[in-house]
Amino acid sequence: MSESDTELLALQIKKELYEYIGPLLFGRRLYSALGYPSVDAFRQSVSRKTVPVEVFSLEYRRGRFALSRDVAEWLATQRQDIIKKRMKEVMHSDNLRGS
């Protein structure tokens, strides 16, 4: 998957998130999109400052928020990294067989 493929995937995810949810993710939709199994796991990640996207508070609102576009870009990057890793593993196993 090339850089342009990742950008295209990110654009598609952004479009879908924006159409179905809007520009901001929060609550269950936010922590689920980031792969956290529960709100407690998400809170722990926030307190440890290990959330993979920028999260922020809004005045007069409860909870944490993230931009849909940031989550979309992070998801696309994660997918690209997995594909690259698999390709390396396949190439490595092919090299071992050829020895």
Side-chain angles (χ1 to χ4, degrees):
M1 182 176 247
S2 70
E3 189 106 5
S4 62
D5 291 337
T6 303
E7 291 171 6
L8 180 61
L9 179 60
L11 284 173
Q12 290 171 335
I13 296 169
K14 285 179 203 178
K15 184 177 184 257
E16 289 175 15
L17 284 174
Y18 195 84
E19 285 178 3
Y20 295 112
I21 298 171
L24 288 176
L25 286 168
F26 60 94
R28 183 181 183 101
R29 288 183 172 158
L30 174 58
Y31 75 76
S32 292
L34 294 174
Y36 293 101
S38 67
V39 70
D40 291 329
F42 175 71
R43 283 185 189 141
Q44 189 171 48
S45 186
V46 169
S47 71
R48 291 179 178 170
K49 299 181 181 175
T50 57
V51 179
V53 297
E54 186 69 34
V55 292
F56 52 90
S57 299
L58 292 174
E59 193 172 12
Y60 308 114
R61 301 285 186 265
R62 297 173 73 186
R64 298 292 181 143
F65 299 82
L67 295 176
S68 295
R69 71 174 184 218
D70 292 344
V71 173
E73 289 170 6
W74 177 78
L75 288 169
T77 301
Q78 294 304 300
R79 177 132 191 261
Q80 179 185 22
D81 291 347
I82 289 168
I83 290 170
K84 283 181 182 178
K85 183 179 177 185
R86 285 184 186 160
M87 288 175 61
K88 283 182 181 179
E89 289 171 355
V90 167
M91 290 175 64
H92 180 70
S93 67
D94 286 348
N95 288 340
L96 290 176
R97 285 186 216 156
S99 303

